[in-house]
Amino acid sequence: MNHPAEIASRGRILTGHRPTGPRHIGHLVGTLENWVRLQDSYDCFFLVADLHVLTTDHEHPARIAANILEMVADWLAAGIDPARSTLVLQSALPEHPYLMALLGMLVTVARLERVPTYKEQAQQLGLTPSLGLLSYPILQAADILIYKAATVPVGEDQLPHVELAREMARRFNQTYGDTFPEPEALVSRLPRLPGVDNRTMHASYGNTILLKDTPEETTRKVMDMYTDPTRVHATDPGHVENNPLFNYLDAFDTDREAVEQFKARYRAGKVGDVEVKRHLAQVLNGYLAPLRQRRVTFMARPDDLRDLLRSGTQRAEGLAQATLAEVQKKMGLG
Ligand code: TRP
């Protein structure tokens, strides 16, 4: 483990998720394992972006608190370490939406309407977009800039938001003098794990494997997985490309040689789907077992989870207050 001073000198990371529910294996390999590694070299802030949830769903208030606990338990089980990193509850720090309001003075409505996620979301939800949805990326810019974060690890879909945060930093600095570093996106190069039906993995499609699933649920989902549709009999030559069975083996089976053997036999029509699925179920359950055990321990003590989140948020508060005070002063307030 690195010395805390050394970690701090390498710069600050801010990233986060909306607490929309328990995390799935796509989050684990695409995002969480990367966050866990980054803790070794950066001063990491992980944000529970509960205000952002309301931009697309403000009619189910009862869900939010439960989803926050589920998500934080998954983060910790995956290896997020609250002794080294700071967990922040967005809605507990009014500095975030306050900075959003101030940054809002520096951006046009037309610019926000051009953010690609805005139109996509509005279309997908079949809603007339709210002011809250339009200002989603300004709130995200505020999340990043309030901690003067230098690096923002995100998926590709979030790049337009980081780009806007960079613009906001530049515009603020030009007008009021050097204040914010221009945050850099750090995009994971790993291929995205497909859902068990080979579409994008997403809770709304019901095609996820959750970190909290039991081994039995996991096995059942694996046994029902989409494979190569061109293959009718086990003796037909199969395709391992664009076949989630093999995407998953590539992601989770540490025995590379075994994976290559399965691929060769599959291509040659020498192994059936069922045998590969049985192997995958075993591999996946083995991979997830220690994580699931930790998760059960965390979920059994929800008060401890809340305390961790509270103390992280307290640690963040001082920084957020200092930045906001600086910004208010530069903008002629207070
Ligand atoms: N918009 C991000 C997502 O949906 C969550 C988020 C909110 C975020 N604030 C952030 C990510 C700041 C990175 C930095 O995944």
Side-chain angles (χ1 to χ4, degrees), residues 14-18 47 49 52 136 140 143-144 152 154 158:
L14 182 126
T15 187
H17 276 169
R18 284 169 299 149
L47 182 75
H52 275 115
Y136 185 117
Q140 185 161 347
D143 297 337
I144 297 165
V152 187
V154 280
Q158 295 293 314

Side-chain angles (χ1 to χ4, degrees), residues 73 76-79 288-300:
L76 298 175
L288 295 173
L291 187 153
R292 284 170 168 164
Q293 213 168 2
R294 287 193 292 273
R295 192 185 194 284
V296 168
T297 319
F298 290 125
M299 282 308 281

